[in-house]
Amino acid sequence: MKTYKIATIPGDGIGKEVVPAGQEVMRALAASSKSFAFEFENFGWGGDYYRAHGLMMPADGLDALRGRDAILFGSAGDPHIPDHITLWGLRLKICQGFDQYANVRPTRILPGIDAPLKRCKMEDLDWVIVRENSEGEYSGVGGRAHQGHPIEVATDVSMMTRVGVERIIRYAFKLAQSRPRKLLTVVTKSNAQRHAMVMWDEIALEVSKDFPDVKWDKELVDAATARMVNRPATLDTIVATNLHADILSDLAAALAGSLGIAPTGNIDPERRYPSMFEPIHGSAFDIMGKGLANPVGTFWSVVMLLEHLGEFDAAKRLMAAIEAVTANPALHTGDLGGKAKTVDVTRAVCAALA
């Protein structure tokens, strides 16, 4: 029997509720499968760790994670700690430290969920957004000077490298090639950003020549938002920069019904380091400790984790269990207009697996 070593980092807020729910579902899946098992190690990093140690995670924290098969992450964010500290001190430290350059976010309307696009059929919204996850607008290059004076200046530099752009666009073309429609949209803003985004466009054209079976087009990011709302069926696989995909993927999750159901994977495609999987909903301190969090985003993230490990049959079983549960309105949490609790949804998914 194969035993996978999984690092769990609940982080802050409702991450401390949905990650244990994810572990419960993973144990239920392993028990019913009997061909693999999970060995969990929990890392209590986040806002509480920062208050005790002045850091969101230990300086040598990456070494503690390095030998794991995958990481299941909850959320980073604490109302009493500046957001740039919580993000750069934990989540981005792991993403950049392990060169998880592909942030992958599937989006579709799950059974039973009332999505905002009333004219849209379920099959019209079935996307996967590929986000460059290591440089671009979130490269961390910049600074501040003359703080508190009229001449104060602050800069954040969007840094794109040829190797960084080529590898994420190539990854997106390969992903599009593996999907039934073989359709890719490259999101850009080269009409206004005339250096880095022009290079982005040029590299996309170069890479496209290696994928003659993939139909692709180019869309300005502002036009892409309108296209997602008005013509969702014209999209399938989407690739965009760090900032652009960050925004578009949240819009996609909202169009599919709720940020509470949306998953993501921070992936090192070369598998040099462990990849990290997480729901995108954030720490949601306003509902923390009330048992109201929607764990579906975490469960769907576990599906992605299983696919990354090569456990495709188990991933399909878990996705089927998730869809069976979302199809029942009595098991919808508050973000979906229902009254179910985290534990209700978790138990229902475990029961469907059993």
Side-chain angles (χ1 to χ4, degrees):
M1 179 186 290
K2 172 71 174 176
T3 299
Y4 295 107
K5 295 181 178 179
I6 308 297
T8 55
I9 308 174
D12 303 314
I14 61 171
K16 297 176 182 179
E17 300 168 53
V18 296
V19 166
Q23 288 177 260
E24 188 176 339
V25 164
M26 292 172 77
R27 291 191 184 100
L29 187 65
S32 62
S33 169
K34 298 180 179 162
S35 63
F36 60 85
F38 297 109
E39 178 184 294
F40 296 104
E41 183 172 358
N42 190 65
F43 295 86
W45 303 336
D48 292 339
Y49 190 90
Y50 179 85
R51 278 181 278 273
H53 303 280
L55 297 167
M56 291 292 290
M57 63 181 283
D60 61 352
L62 292 178
D63 292 332
L65 301 173
R66 200 176 300 273
R68 309 294 158 178
D69 293 300
I71 304 165
L72 182 62
F73 187 85
S75 61
D78 186 304
H80 306 294
I81 303 171
D83 287 342
H84 68 279
I85 291 176
T86 58
L87 185 64
W88 282 93
L90 183 57
R91 185 184 173 278
L92 288 185
K93 185 172 183 179
I94 296 170
C95 290
Q96 295 198 350
F98 286 153
D99 200 20
Q100 297 165 345
Y101 67 83
N103 179 274
V104 181
R105 296 189 174 187
T107 306
R108 57 188 175 87
I109 301 173
L110 298 180
I113 291 180
D114 183 23
L117 295 182
K118 303 303 181 185
R119 294 173 295 162
C120 176
K121 301 188 293 291
M122 282 183 60
E123 59 269 23
D124 287 348
L125 200 165
D126 186 355
W127 307 328
V128 58
I129 297 176
V130 177
R131 169 185 172 185
E132 201 293 313
N133 205 36
S134 64
E135 52 180 43
E137 303 89 346
Y138 298 166
S139 63
V141 177
R144 294 177 69 176
H146 309 300
Q147 288 181 249
H149 298 280
I151 59 171
E152 181 174 356
V153 60
T155 61
D156 276 296
V157 179
S158 175
M159 182 188 71
M160 295 189 191
T161 64
R162 172 164 285 274
V163 66
V165 173
E166 181 175 348
R167 68 183 183 177
I168 196 63
I169 289 181
R170 187 169 297 277
Y171 180 92
F173 267 99
K174 287 181 180 178
L175 183 58
Q177 189 178 51
S178 72
R179 286 168 62 83
R181 297 176 66 189
K182 298 185 187 304
L183 175 65
L184 176 67
T185 297
V186 177
V187 173
T188 185
K189 193 57 183 170
S190 51
N191 61 337
Q193 295 174 285
R194 58 197 178 117
H195 302 297
M197 292 307 304
V198 169
M199 183 181 77
W200 171 276
D201 291 353
E202 292 171 352
I203 292 172
L205 179 60
E206 292 169 12
V207 172
S208 71
K209 296 173 183 177
D210 294 334
F211 299 89
D213 57 333
V214 175
K215 182 180 179 181
W216 74 287
D217 62 3
K218 186 172 69 173
E219 190 77 82
L220 296 175
V221 63
D222 42 345
T225 61
R227 182 172 167 185
M228 290 168 71
V229 174
N230 294 326
R231 297 185 292 132
T234 68
L235 296 164
D236 185 84
T237 307
I238 302 164
V239 62
T241 69
N242 214 330
L243 173 63
H244 293 164
D246 189 7
I247 296 167
L248 293 179
S249 58
D250 276 17
L251 171 60
L255 293 174
S258 170
L259 266 66
I261 63 174
T264 190
N266 302 288
I267 296 171
D268 166 28
E270 282 76 42
R271 298 175 183 268
R272 300 157 295 173
Y273 310 103
S275 293
M276 182 166 69
F277 302 85
E278 58 177 318
I280 73 168
H281 52 54
S283 54
F285 262 73
D286 56 326
I287 61 169
M288 177 186 175
K290 299 178 181 179
L292 301 176
N294 190 342
V296 168
T298 300
F299 300 160
W300 197 347
S301 298
V302 171
V303 171
M304 298 182 70
L305 183 155
L306 290 165
E307 291 171 341
H308 184 73
L309 295 177
E311 297 290 350
F312 298 105
D313 289 341
K316 288 178 182 177
R317 286 186 57 223
L318 178 53
M319 198 69 223
I322 292 169
E323 292 180 348
V325 169
T326 62
N328 182 356
L331 293 170
H332 287 183
T333 45
D335 57 306
L336 296 173
K339 297 181 179 179
K341 298 289 189 73
T342 310
V343 65
D344 300 325
V345 181
T346 304
R347 287 173 180 169
V349 171
C350 290
L353 290 171

